[in-house]
Amino acid sequence: MRVRGSSRERRIAGRGRRVALAVGLAAVVGPSAAAAAPAYAPVDRPGPALGVPAATLARSLDCSPGIDRAARTPVLLVHGTNANVTANWSFTYEPALRARGVPWCALSLPDWATNDIQVNGEYVVAAIRAIHRRAGRRISIIGASQGGMVPRWALRFWPDTRPMVDDLIGLAPSNHGTAVFRDDTCAKGGCKPAEWQQRDDSAFITALNSRQETFPGISYSNVYTRTDETVQPNLDDRGSSSLHGGGGRISNVAIQEICPAATSEHLMTSATDGIAYALAIDALEHDGPASRERIAANGCNQGAIPNADPIGLILYLPTLLSGAGATGDVGREPLLACYVTASCPGDAPPVVPGPPPRLRLEARPRRLVAGRTTPVRLTVRADDGTAVAGATVRLGRARS
């Protein structure tokens, strides 16, 4: 809309138009935006029944000898996005833990952990319960990338799992998502569902960190690298991987705090990095989370992951990079499960609206008649053209 006339008339008309547009936009967008933000479930509300068949959940867990009536704390290994259990752990932490006499179970997430992370959370819930039951004692968890983050979804929305877990150790975990996926990467060409959910502005990440990030009685060790090209930002303990508050005992440690010259990137943090391994073992073998002070004594001289198979990295790296078992790209983030919200009834359908759509404001008519006020229809539309809401305001245009 153009306004002609003297500079004073243009200023007055422009100011009136801005006020009218602001009022109209507030009336249109305000209620919609307020309704889009859900109130999240209380942290002590019992979790819902698992939707994945029990037989499927049972088949997803591969355990070493020594799990039943375990003589020491068993470890659950959870792989990351675009990986599988063999490529992530079979040549690294499985032989290393076996050599230390630590019993372990490795969890295989569906579709290489590229589909809905909420479903992956059910696998973790079932694994925690199963290992705890078999071992007769609390368990610890070591997870890579998404695998270090998704156990927190289980702990957040299934509170019965919290007394079952002693340590949660994340190796480059995506606890607060990543800016890498946010910067229009997904909007331009589509992303895997789990990539949408690991955007740092996703509905999933917001729900994951709602109310409190950690829980009393659990030790959280978050190992990250400042040269991570996938989970960003991660330059300090205010970055994506780190956790704060909530009552848990927390240690956020950058590999570079131990060895300033270290250059491990995202994948290598769990696949080859001896400092990350040393911090993980320190957490397993001491009360509380990993201690940078205990590990710093050896600085850069931590050595490789003991008993790891270097040939395994050569064999499985192409597999890790190929994404051969991944699900296809989709156009938006999966909807949040109903149990995430405070208002969800026990038998409600499993989804509620996810993040609010991008909105644009339309005004009709776009031109005003000089010397009179004109009713102008303001309409807010979503990306797909759907009218979200509307309001009519009267705008005036000064005479030329």
Side-chain angles (χ1 to χ4, degrees):
M1 303 175 204
R2 286 184 250 175
V3 179
R4 297 181 182 176
S6 69
S7 60
R8 182 173 180 274
E9 288 172 331
R10 286 197 298 270
R11 285 197 300 273
I12 293 171
R15 188 159 53 242
R17 188 170 68 252
R18 287 195 296 273
V19 171
L21 284 172
V23 172
L25 186 58
V28 173
V29 177
S32 174
Y40 296 103
V43 297
D44 58 351
R45 188 174 73 186
L50 303 182
V52 180
T56 302
L57 294 171
R59 287 194 300 268
S60 69
L61 207 55
D62 178 45
C63 297
S64 72
I67 286 292
D68 296 300
R69 297 176 296 281
R72 57 189 303 180
T73 303
V75 172
L76 169 63
L77 298 170
V78 187
H79 66 81
T81 311
N82 214 40
N84 63 23
V85 67
T86 302
N88 223 148
W89 304 118
S90 66
F91 63 92
T92 56
Y93 278 68
E94 287 181 10
L97 293 175
R98 188 180 299 115
R100 299 184 77 90
V102 178
W104 50 265
C105 290
L107 178 63
S108 182
L109 298 173
D111 303 310
W112 287 37
T114 57
N115 220 323
D116 190 347
I117 301 176
Q118 296 171 106
V119 176
N120 298 344
E122 294 194 17
Y123 279 76
V124 176
V125 170
I128 292 172
R129 290 170 175 169
I131 301 171
H132 178 264
R133 181 179 65 253
R134 291 178 58 180
R137 59 188 302 160
R138 298 173 75 193
I139 76 167
S140 291
I141 304 172
I142 298 177
S145 190
Q146 182 196 141
M149 171 270 286
V150 67
R152 294 185 52 235
W153 187 265
L155 295 170
R156 168 64 178 90
F157 294 106
W158 282 267
D160 70 290
T161 61
R162 295 171 202 158
M164 303 177 186
V165 176
D166 185 12
D167 281 276
L168 172 54
I169 302 161
L171 308 177
S174 52
N175 282 322
H176 294 93
T178 173
V180 170
F181 294 142
R182 169 171 49 84
D183 297 333
D184 292 331
T185 301
C186 295
K188 288 178 179 177
C191 277
K192 308 289 186 289
E195 292 171 343
W196 278 104
Q197 290 169 312
Q198 287 177 98
R199 288 165 53 122
D200 60 1
D201 60 351
S202 72
F204 174 88
I205 289 295
T206 303
L208 169 69
N209 294 301
S210 62
R211 296 188 182 265
Q212 62 188 78
E213 295 188 356
T214 70
F215 296 96
I218 302 173
S219 297
Y220 297 80
S221 301
N222 304 296
V223 182
Y224 63 96
T225 175
R226 293 169 180 159
T227 51
D228 195 320
E229 81 290 3
T230 301
V231 177
Q232 297 180 8
N234 248 333
L235 297 178
D236 54 36
D237 74 348
R238 306 307 302 186
S240 173
S241 292
S242 298
L243 296 173
H244 299 276
R249 301 168 70 181
I250 306 168
S251 177
N252 303 311
V253 186
I255 290 171
Q256 288 78 12
E257 293 179 64
I258 310 300
C259 178
T263 58
S264 284
E265 47 75 75
H266 185 71
L267 184 61
M268 296 301 106
T269 298
S270 59
T272 64
D273 195 276
I275 295 173
Y277 172 80
L279 287 163
I281 294 301
D282 183 78
L284 293 179
E285 297 188 346
H286 293 86
D287 179 51
S291 166
R292 63 173 56 80
E293 290 74 23
R294 287 191 292 260
I295 302 304
N298 289 328
C300 299
N301 301 315
Q302 303 295 333
I305 299 175
N307 297 98
D309 177 12
I311 303 301
L313 179 61
I314 298 172
L315 292 176
Y316 288 116
L317 185 58
T319 303
L320 283 169
L321 298 176
S322 71
T327 191
D329 289 344
V330 296
R332 63 163 294 165
E333 180 182 351
L335 298 176
L336 284 176
C338 181
Y339 62 77
V340 170
T341 64
S343 60
C344 182
D347 297 325
V351 295
V352 295
R358 294 182 181 179
L359 304 177
R360 68 176 186 272
L361 179 66
E362 293 180 353
R364 294 288 186 272
R366 296 181 60 84
R367 302 175 73 90
L368 299 180
V369 178
R372 71 173 66 169
T373 60
T374 304
V376 177
R377 179 65 180 174
L378 301 175
T379 304
V380 175
R381 295 189 184 277
D383 285 341
D384 61 2
T386 303
V388 176
T392 299
V393 295
R394 300 188 68 86
L395 298 178
R397 174 181 165 186
R399 290 186 182 275
S400 301

